[in-house]
Structures are given as C-alpha cells and as structure tokens.
C-alpha cells in the first residue's frame, strides 16, 4: 500500500520494530526535521523508523496567496479560525494513508507514533484521537487544535487512552503559548492522558525538549 504523500525516511540499521511519522510546519518540508534523528540518541535496538512526509503545495491566504508546502490554508490569524477545516480533513486523510502503509508493511498500529510541529501538530492532534486503530502515542509541538468543540463527538475510542505529549515555547510569537494551552486543556477535559511541557524558546525546538521527546519515545516504543 502506498501514500499520495512523498517523504524522507530514516531507517534503523536492523529490523524495523516501530515508526514515528513526523509532520513539519508551514512552508517547511520533510527535510526540516530529519536532522534531529541522531540528536534524539535513541537506542538502535528499538528499531525505530522515522517518516518525514512533505505536505502538498497550496496557496496560503495570509501569505498573499503564495504557494508553499502547507497542510491547510490559513485564512485568518484569529484564534478560532486559523486552521482551514477542509484542508485539515484532506491532510488527515493523506496521513492516514501513510499510517496504513506502515501497518501493511508489518508495523503494528500500537508501535506507530504520530508527531507534528506547528501546522503538522494540528494534523497530529486532529487525526490521532480520530484514528480507528490504537496508536503508540501522539505528539504535538508548538501547536494548537482544529475544531476542538467537535473532538468529543468525533473521537474514536481506539485512542481514548493513547498518551499525548505536548510542548511549547514560552516566547512563541507565531503560535502563542495560550493556543497550545487551550488544546492541552481540551484534551484534559476529554480525559486524555496528555502531558504539557514548556521551554524558554520561541517557535522552534530546543535541546532540553529533544531530551524529553527522546525519553518519551523510548517509554512508548521500548
């Protein structure tokens, strides 16, 4: 089974036992986060494969209609209108194909972790709770939530207890930390096993965060 999304991949030296699908942010590509794999210093025996897909190119309204890689259009910077729901649903469908391809290649859903930064995190937080097979974990970095009011009715029970890792920069001027906190609180209110981490940084990742991510990945996929 194949996906419409192209991607960068990083495979372990031995048997593939688990997969992390990591979604980039607006205007980036799968190349953006691929260099962090060695920084995570994950034990080789865990057999973790990384997949970094490229978002489709589309016109982005807030950037004057410029075409760039984006998981959805951003028509307004308003808190409750930032994520274009049609684009979110379309990209969630494409990422679902990626997950199903990993399952078809022999990686159980429980050993697949869905991660995303910024726009990619929006897709991870949207798709993960709605996916119909139990995933190993969901990670949202410097991100927010699309359609939080619909989570309760749309969520699939398969991922009701799936651990969720959220992290955000305290000085983020692209996605204000309050937007991440709102997503965290929505997940909490819906009884998800979600953890919240903040760091003295802007809209990026830092070494302390990568260490926490590495530990969390090892707990989830060990």
């Amino acid at each position: 089974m194949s996906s419409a999304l192209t991607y960068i991949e990083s495979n372990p030296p031995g048997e593939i036992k688990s997969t992390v699908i990591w979604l980039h942010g607006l205007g980036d590509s799968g190349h953006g986060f691929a260099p962090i794999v060695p920084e995570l210093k994950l034990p080789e025996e865990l057999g973790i494969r990384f997949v970094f897909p490229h978002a489709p190119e589309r016109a982005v309204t807030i950037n004057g209609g410029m075409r760039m890689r984006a998981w959805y259009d951003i028509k307004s910077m308003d808190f409750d209108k930032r994520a274009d729901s049609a684009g979110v649903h379309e990209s969630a469908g494409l990422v679902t194909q990626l997950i199903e391809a990993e399952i078809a290649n022999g990686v159980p859903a429980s050993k697949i972790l869905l991660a995303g930064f910024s726009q990619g995190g929006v897709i991870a937080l949207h798709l993960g709770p709605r996916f119909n097979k139990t995933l190993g974990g969901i990670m949202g970095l410097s991100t927010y939530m699309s359609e939080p009011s619909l989570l309760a009715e749309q969520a699939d029970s398969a991922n009701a207890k799936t651990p969720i890792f959220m992290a955000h920069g305290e000085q983020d001027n692209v996605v204000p930390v309050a937007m991440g906190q709102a997503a965290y609180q929505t997940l909490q209110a819906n009884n998800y096993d979600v953890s919240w981490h903040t760091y003295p940084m802007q809209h990026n990742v830092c070494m302390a965060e990568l260490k926490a991510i590495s530990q969390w990945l090892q707990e989830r996929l060990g």
Side-chain angles (χ1 to χ4, degrees), residues 183-199:
Y184 166 67
Q185 289 163 1
T186 296
L187 290 163
Q188 264 198 326
N190 284 274
N191 299 312
Y192 283 90
D193 176 11
V194 56
S195 61
W196 173 252
H197 313 260
T198 58
Y199 299 92

Side-chain angles (χ1 to χ4, degrees), residues 7 13 33 45 54 81 93 98 106 117 123-124 126-127 135 148 163 168 172 180 195:
Y7 53 84
F33 276 97
E45 61 268 20
H54 306 300
K81 299 173 185 171
L98 275 184
F117 176 83
I123 303 303
H126 177 87
L127 174 57
L135 297 169
H168 217 107
D172 194 328
S195 61

Side-chain angles (χ1 to χ4, degrees), residues 142 168-178 196 198-204 206:
S142 303
H168 217 107
E170 293 160 359
Q171 288 97 43
D172 194 328
N173 59 0
V174 177
V175 179
V177 67
W196 173 252
T198 58
Y199 299 92
M201 62 180 186
Q202 297 182 2
H203 195 62
N204 55 286
C206 65

